[in-house]
Amino acid sequence: MNILLTAINAKYIHSNLAVYSLRAYAAGKCERYKEEIGIAEYTINQPLDQILMDLYKRKPEVLCFSCYLWNIEYVEQLVAELGKIMPQTDIWLGGPEVSYHASHMLEQFPQVYGIMRGEGEETFLELAEFYYNNSGKSLEQCEKVQRLKEIVGITFRDGEEIIETADRSVMDLSKVPFVYEDLDVFKNKIIYYESSRGCPFSCSYCLSSIDKCLRFRDLELVKKELQFFIDHEIPQVKFVDRTFNCKHSHSMEIWSYIKEHDKGKTNFHFEVAADLLNEEELNLISTMRPGLIQLEIGVQSTNEQTIKEIHRTMKFSQVIEVVNRVHAAKNIHQHLDLIAGLPFEDYNSFHKSFCDVYALRPEQLQLGFLKVLKGSYMEEKTKDYELLYQNRPPYEVLSTKWLPYSDVIRLKGLEEMVEVYYNSRQFEHTMELLEQVFGDAFVMFEEMSNYYEEHGYYGVNHNRVARYEILYAFIKEVALVQYETLLTEEQFRQTLVMDLYLRENMKNRPAFAGDSLVSKEVERTFYDTEAEEHQYLKGYEKYDKRQLRKMTHLENIDGHLILFDYQNRNPLTNQATTYEVI
């Protein structure tokens, strides 16, 4: 018997925790499954024919696909073709993108034999046992159907009839096996880990609100597995827990453990509710190594009517207090999210939500758009909200009763400007200066988006220097012309130069930077002295003056001689360490 679990990821650096978990759980019950159940991982960026040929060569008798928003269109295309060239292969789908409308998927895709709904570990094990126990047997169709009916949590076809068995109860999360013993398989990929499943909240746009059964993995097991990541110096581990800190004792145990056992290499990513972080947790994380953890915080909106309507539990006043406290410690990367297209949120309301969150100065501000997921409460409210959304995944909002498509387009432009000029952290000082001109961050990004559109810059793959040059032109042509300010073009030029060299050890100066104001004599004297004394560049003792010059940069910024050290960067911003040379 040859069963193949197939994952099609969004990027090469991603891995699919689900397929590895399914195989590991099955192998834990029967050793031979580890060898006889295969895993195939691809990406949506690969040519479809390439994947089609590879799957055909593997000759699976049972082919299973893990389905998500980012890959469902790709899976559907594959399934349509696989049904032609592998008609004897039973194709099964699973995952959140098919679990909540399984019958519809079977009606739409006759090539698919069945769908595993909800959590898959126990269901897949029973399905694997069904196929292995009946491998080589000539089962009558009625007998096959009867045996499949005994497996809960599946929807499958019997000719023209679609059969849906009972829902499966959720499982003990501690019984899910650890899948990362063989790290060679995950080399150069992000590691995903779950210490809890389910969510205590009922946000109307999220599928996690459907499953109310929140459960946690045994903490002693979690600690053992975290130690494995730490010992193997995994660069980043992303917890997939929907609200990591919903149980105080759980989050404290885990955060205390990684702090005490930190070896300075691994970063842990957590999605948290900021307003649930209490004093004990805040005190603990404030003492962590910079870069040890990063927090993703879903604000979504600051409109109280919107928050109430989407059944979200959030006190923004507490979010402000917590985010500011975390920010003050300067050791944790914070990623804050907003969603455009929510009920009762029009363009002006979103403007306010954006400014409220932007004022908190997160390291990342993610401006996303509502996705109307099948099975979610939001989907049920489409008529009430006059909600229009795309038919194709990820089912993104087109318009609502409050937000016409024309405003969605405007917000799309603003989103790109935020991504390029804020989230990249490449223009930090220039953007802070520019905000003084506009006085309103939303208006600033709005004007930048208009500038891009007027000059035909959208849709062009700009390099980093070009982004600086465009920003400099925008400052000269819009900010300093259309808005009153005492700031000068030269101040902005020097700030742009500062931002450029904070991230880039660029030896060929771009045009806007002008000629270097650091003379050859000053530069030579500095590196001659530094190679002997190492007043600024500690840890560079093994390098000579020529090497020091290549690894660092000297720049005259507003009359101050600034040394940029690229070997020692800020773990939160990736900016070079700087010293003012006296």
Side-chain angles (χ1 to χ4, degrees), residues 6-9 14-21 41 66 68 70 192:
T6 306
I8 301 174
N9 303 318
H14 296 169
S15 58
N16 185 300
L17 179 58
V19 294
Y20 287 97
S21 184
E41 283 196 278
S66 181
Y68 298 89
W70 62 81
Y192 297 97

Side-chain angles (χ1 to χ4, degrees), residues 326-344:
V326 173
H327 186 71
K330 298 182 179 179
N331 66 327
I332 294 174
H333 172 109
Q334 295 186 94
H335 179 142
L336 270 58
D337 297 333
L338 284 171
I339 297 178
L342 293 173
F344 296 103

Side-chain angles (χ1 to χ4, degrees), residues 160 238 309 372 573:
E160 297 299 316
K238 297 192 79 168
E309 181 67 17
V372 185
T573 65

Side-chain angles (χ1 to χ4, degrees), residues 290-323:
L292 174 58
I293 72 169
Q294 60 189 52
L295 303 179
E296 181 174 352
I297 299 166
V299 178
Q300 320 313 10
S301 173
T302 64
N303 182 323
E304 292 184 5
Q305 191 175 8
T306 297
I307 293 298
K308 181 179 179 181
E309 181 67 17
I310 64 176
H311 307 154
R312 185 163 176 77
T313 303
M314 183 195 71
K315 297 178 181 177
F316 188 62
S317 60
Q318 291 183 10
V319 172
I320 293 173
E321 181 182 348
V322 166
V323 170

Side-chain angles (χ1 to χ4, degrees), residues 198-203 208-214:
C199 183
F201 303 116
S202 304
C203 303
S208 294
S209 62
I210 296 174
D211 175 16
K212 294 297 180 187
C213 191
L214 175 63

Side-chain angles (χ1 to χ4, degrees), residues 441-548:
F442 188 91
V443 172
M444 175 180 69
F445 288 114
E446 198 175 41
E447 289 279 30
M448 292 172 71
S449 178
N450 293 338
Y451 185 81
Y452 259 66
E453 186 170 3
E454 290 167 5
H455 289 77
Y457 291 146
Y458 280 127
V460 178
N461 188 19
H462 302 285
N463 61 35
R464 185 177 298 180
V465 171
R467 295 288 193 186
Y468 282 92
E469 292 170 340
I470 293 171
L471 181 56
Y472 188 36
F474 168 77
I475 290 168
K476 292 189 293 183
E477 297 170 25
V478 178
L480 297 179
V481 173
Q482 299 180 19
Y483 290 81
E484 293 185 6
T485 179
L486 297 177
L487 296 170
T488 66
E489 179 184 329
E490 179 59 18
Q491 285 176 285
F492 277 106
R493 189 193 69 80
Q494 293 203 37
T495 307
L496 273 171
V497 172
M498 180 75 175
D499 281 330
L500 175 70
Y501 283 107
L502 276 169
R503 293 295 293 271
E504 192 82 34
N505 186 7
M506 186 169 287
K507 299 306 180 185
N508 296 321
R509 298 176 70 84
F512 75 86
D515 295 331
S516 174
L517 299 179
V518 181
S519 68
K520 297 294 183 183
E521 181 179 352
V522 167
E523 190 177 66
R524 183 170 55 251
T525 300
F526 171 78
Y527 284 110
D528 284 346
T529 303
E530 189 63 17
E532 293 293 330
E533 300 178 0
H534 293 284
Q535 180 181 351
Y536 300 97
L537 300 172
K538 309 297 183 183
Y540 282 74
E541 286 77 12
K542 64 180 179 180
Y543 300 109
D544 60 30
K545 61 183 179 183
R546 179 183 59 82
Q547 292 170 314
L548 291 181

Side-chain angles (χ1 to χ4, degrees), residues 547-582:
Q547 292 170 314
L548 291 181
R549 186 177 306 207
K550 285 185 176 180
M551 297 165 71
T552 62
H553 177 74
L554 275 176
E555 186 72 24
N556 187 318
I557 303 289
D558 196 25
H560 301 276
L561 188 59
I562 306 297
L563 173 66
F564 295 82
D565 175 4
Y566 297 103
Q567 304 306 304
N568 296 291
R569 293 178 179 266
N570 185 310
L572 303 188
T573 65
N574 201 36
Q575 292 179 350
T577 298
T578 59
Y579 308 94
E580 183 174 352
V581 177
I582 307 300

